[in-house]
């Protein structure tokens, strides 16, 4: 069992990573929160796979458990569905001293986390992430949100979990597409922060595709370690936390343009990371060799990289990004493999050129 602490003073919490953890969820949560009433939030698919195991473990450790299910999919990550969970919390008698537990991928975690942030001005919550993406990224760091029709995650809060329980065994049931989508965020960590992680991914890409447990545990632990470090330095994204968004300005625009149905988040981040890498290369930062290594890794892992038509339209969506400051797009770009830079001086023409190049790329 691997453990990490996200160091945030009185809001510090542990991330626990291991196989077969769900049956111990109740015990882990009881020893850390001391709360006895729980609203377990999930979706029908995840609940059918793991809900009873978690609920049973909670009940076995003295918790009174109510459940609330939201429909499956990014297009339901909205305020209307959050309100339904709040209605359920009210009718189940969830109190300020109760606990909300999110069991699922990033969509369930983000929405349940937002409910926890606003219900009765904030109740404690625990993340039990069941996708690779949620285990390496969304369950850690306290960003909770739902989408607005004008843009991604526009309604949100910072609300740190009390605990993150990442059971790597749950990844065996993920669809190939959702598994690959998580790898989009994993590669982002290597590109932005950690040349050793990037080399590890290059070397172990076959084991990663086979979902080998020891390799996955190493990768999840490293990604959580990197994210924890960034979040501990800048919890509310005043400065360095923006680095976690490498590839996301392109990615969020792609997600929005596809009405949150065409691309999964990690796929869009993968495509965005490719565009950011091409742009960096065009700007004279990332070398040709490094660019080739990045493109090859995406290809070896089978992630989508080619952009759809109409980069000018994607650019218009990019202008709704939350990272805009004084009307300027702030882009996180790889400077080398393992380091990033932030640029707010890149012309529209250069950004569109990078997307055009990504559109015509063939391996
Ligand atoms: P998701 O939550 O939609 O899960 C993907 C699919 O996998 C869903 O159909 C889900 O039901 C299914 N699923 C979940 N666990 C499963 C399992 N163990 N076995 C089988 N199927 C399973 O998508 P995601 O990729 O986990 O998360 C994407 C979301 O995360 C986006 O909304 C994104 O904005 C958000 N996100 C948030 C942060 C953050 O810091 N808060 C960071 C990155 C991404
Ligand atoms: N995924 C971006 C962040 O957590 O800041």
């Amino acid at each position: 069992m691997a453990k990490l602490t996200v160091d945030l003073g009185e809001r510090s919490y542990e991330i626990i990573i291991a196989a077969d953890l769900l049956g111990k969820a109740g015990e882990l949560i009881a020893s850390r929160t001391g709360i006895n009433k729980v609203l377990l939030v999930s979706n029908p698919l995840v609940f059918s796979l793991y809900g009873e195991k978690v609920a049973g473990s909670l009940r076995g450790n003295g918790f009174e458990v109510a459940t609330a299910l939201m429909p499956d999919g990014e297009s339901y990550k909205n305020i209307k569905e959050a309100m339904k969970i709040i209605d359920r919390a009210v009718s189940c008698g969830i109190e300020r001293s109760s606990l909300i537990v999110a069991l699922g991928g990033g969509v369930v975690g983000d929405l349940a986390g937002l409910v926890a942030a606003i219900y009765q001005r904030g109740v404690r919550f625990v993340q039990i992430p069941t996708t690779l993406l949620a285990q390496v990224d969304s369950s850690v760091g306290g960003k909770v949100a739902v989408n607005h029709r004008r843009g991604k995650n526009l309604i949100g809060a910072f609300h740190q979990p009390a605990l993150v329980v990442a059971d790597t065994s749950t990844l065996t049931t993920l669809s190939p597409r959702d598994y690959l989508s998580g790898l989009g965020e994993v590669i982002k960590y290597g590109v932005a922060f950690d040349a050793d992680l990037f080399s590890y991914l290059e070397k172990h890409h076959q084991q990663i595709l086979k979902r080998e447990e020891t390799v996955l545990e190493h990768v999840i632990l490293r990604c959580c370690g990197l994210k924890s470090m960034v979040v501990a330095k800048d919890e509310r994204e005043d400065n360095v936390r923006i680095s976690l968004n490498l590839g996301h300005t392109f990615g969020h625009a792609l997600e929005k343009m596809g009405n949150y149905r065409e691309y999964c988040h990690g796929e869009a981040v993968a495509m965005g990371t490719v565009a950011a890498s091409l742009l960096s290369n065009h700007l004279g930062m990332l070398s040709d060799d490094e660019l080739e290594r990045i493109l090859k890794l995406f290809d070896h892992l089978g992630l989508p990289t080619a952009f759809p038509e109409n980069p000018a339209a994607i650019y218009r969506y990019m202008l709704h990004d939350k990272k805009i400051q004084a009307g300027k797009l702030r882009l996180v770009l790889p400077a080398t493999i393992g380091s990033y830079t932030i640029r707010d001086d890149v012309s529209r023409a250069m950004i569109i050129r990078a997307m055009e190049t990504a559109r015509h790329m063939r391996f």
Side-chain angles (χ1 to χ4, degrees), residues 54-207:
V54 173
S57 169
L58 287 165
R59 287 191 189 104
N61 282 278
F63 290 95
E64 186 188 325
V65 183
T67 55
L69 302 188
M70 65 173 287
D72 192 356
E74 180 76 31
S75 56
Y76 296 100
K77 198 178 105 171
N78 58 40
I79 199 71
K80 208 168 137 198
E81 294 300 329
M83 271 312 300
K84 290 186 196 165
I85 304 291
I86 290 171
D87 289 345
R88 176 90 181 127
V90 173
S91 65
C92 295
I94 294 298
E95 298 165 353
R96 202 167 190 189
S97 60
S98 307
L99 180 74
I100 290 183
V101 174
L103 172 70
V107 167
V108 167
D110 278 12
L111 185 142
L114 179 68
V115 170
I118 58 181
Y119 184 71
Q120 300 203 11
R121 298 201 181 86
V123 297
R124 298 183 84 194
F125 90 114
V126 167
Q127 291 267 22
I128 307 187
T130 60
T131 62
L132 179 60
L133 186 139
Q135 294 189 359
V136 297
D137 192 351
S138 64
S139 64
V140 176
K143 274 191 183 175
V144 294
V146 294
N147 303 324
H148 183 273
R149 66 192 146 70
R150 288 289 296 276
K152 178 114 174 133
N153 296 333
L154 289 189
I155 307 163
F158 289 95
H159 189 59
Q160 299 294 340
L163 176 69
V164 179
V165 179
D167 181 342
T168 53
S169 312
T170 60
L171 304 182
T172 55
T173 53
L174 267 185
S175 70
R177 185 175 181 194
D178 288 313
Y179 180 69
L180 283 182
S181 164
L183 290 176
E185 292 279 10
V186 169
I187 299 176
K188 172 205 79 178
Y189 283 108
V191 171
F193 306 112
D194 188 344
D196 289 343
L197 172 63
F198 192 89
S199 304
Y200 184 90
L201 299 174
E202 288 180 309
K203 198 164 155 211
H204 294 87
H205 71 267
Q206 274 159 347
Q207 288 106 307

Side-chain angles (χ1 to χ4, degrees), residues 199-267:
S199 304
Y200 184 90
L201 299 174
E202 288 180 309
K203 198 164 155 211
H204 294 87
H205 71 267
Q206 274 159 347
Q207 288 106 307
I208 290 169
L209 286 175
K210 287 186 201 142
R211 309 188 193 187
E212 280 187 16
E213 207 155 277
T214 49
V215 173
L216 274 181
E217 259 187 51
H218 174 85
V219 168
I220 294 166
L221 186 62
R222 186 64 197 143
C223 293
C224 286
L226 289 163
K227 182 148 187 185
S228 305
M229 256 189 298
V230 173
V231 170
K233 276 191 204 146
D234 177 24
E235 184 181 4
R236 298 177 72 87
E237 200 168 303
D238 293 320
N239 43 69
V240 292
R241 186 162 178 169
I242 191 184
S243 60
L244 292 167
N245 283 315
L246 188 140
H248 283 57
T249 305
F250 293 100
H252 285 167
L254 286 166
E255 280 186 270
K256 173 75 192 79
M257 224 170 87
N259 278 324
Y260 303 113
R261 288 177 202 274
E262 197 156 336
Y263 304 106
C264 315
H265 179 71
E267 288 173 348

